[in-house]
């Protein structure tokens, strides 16, 4: 009787082991997930075309302020308004067209750097147009040279 129990137990273990091994050998059935595509976000189109967005003054004398006019043309059928112009620091002053810019018209944003400190500089002016437009960042750069003679 004891040997019968041992034999039954051995058979049961063999069956369980064999079922477990078969389950591991079978590769799970996978279905490819449905491919969903999200359209790429559309790059916001600007209502204006800038003539340039960066200007290099090159070398300038210390203490001599320099200015550059950035201009744009309204390329839409809507009127464009410059709502805000902000320089990256107090060393740069700005001025800009304050009247609405009708389709086809040109407007300007002037950036003036005071050149008070010798060395390289790179400053930005952020221009906001209309209410929901992405602001445009304009850059001025150059190198201020100290031309004052050194006493010997």
């Amino acid at each position: 009787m004891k040997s019968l129990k041992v034999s039954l137990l051995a058979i049961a273990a063999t069956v369980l082991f064999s079922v477990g091994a078969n389950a591991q050998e079978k590769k799970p059935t996978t279905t490819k997930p449905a491919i969903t595509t999200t359209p790429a976000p559309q790059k916001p189109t600007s209502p204006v075309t800038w003539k340039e967005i960066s200007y290099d003054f090159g070398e300038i004398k210390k203490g001599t302020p320099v200015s550059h006019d950035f201009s744009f043309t309204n390329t839409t059928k809507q009127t464009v308004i410059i709502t805000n112009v902000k320089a990256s620091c107090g060393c740069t002053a700005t001025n800009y067209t304050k009247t609405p810019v009708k389709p086809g018209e040109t407007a300007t944003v002037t950036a003036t750097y005071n050149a008070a400190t010798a060395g390289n500089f790179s400053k930005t002016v952020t221009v906001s147009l209309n209410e929901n437009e992405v602001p445009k960042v304009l850059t001025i750069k150059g190198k201020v040279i100290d031309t004052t003679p050194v006493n010997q």
Side-chain angles (χ1 to χ4, degrees):
M1 183 81 148
K2 203 175 201 182
S3 64
L4 181 61
K5 285 183 182 178
V6 172
S7 296
L8 286 175
L9 197 57
I11 292 172
T14 305
V15 169
L16 286 175
F17 179 72
S18 136
V19 169
N22 283 341
Q24 287 180 354
E25 284 178 21
K26 288 184 181 177
K27 292 185 179 177
T29 310
T30 58
T31 57
K32 292 183 180 179
I35 297 174
T36 57
T37 57
T38 304
Q42 295 296 317
K43 184 177 178 183
T45 56
S46 176
V48 300
T49 301
W50 290 91
K51 182 178 177 185
E52 61 194 340
I53 58 170
S54 181
Y55 185 77
D56 188 343
F57 289 105
E59 291 186 351
I60 57 177
K61 285 185 189 178
K62 180 179 175 182
T64 306
V66 289
S67 295
H68 181 70
D69 291 333
F70 291 95
S71 63
F72 67 83
T73 303
N74 180 353
T75 55
T76 68
K77 295 181 181 180
Q78 304 293 322
T79 298
V80 173
I81 299 170
I82 299 174
T83 58
N84 192 27
V85 175
K86 183 172 179 158
S88 60
C89 75
C91 59
T92 305
T94 61
N95 195 9
Y96 58 95
T97 301
K98 310 266 188 316
T99 58
V101 184
K102 294 180 181 167
E105 290 184 344
T106 299
T108 59
V109 174
T110 303
T112 302
Y113 181 68
N114 70 7
T117 306
N120 293 323
F121 69 92
S122 180
K123 305 298 175 185
T124 60
V125 174
T126 303
V127 180
S128 298
L129 303 172
N130 294 354
E131 196 171 295
N132 297 320
E133 297 298 325
V134 176
K136 187 65 163 181
V137 178
L138 309 174
T139 305
I140 56 172
K141 59 185 176 178
K143 184 174 185 178
V144 178
I145 305 296
D146 190 353
T147 58
T148 55
V150 178
N151 291 339
Q152 295 181 358

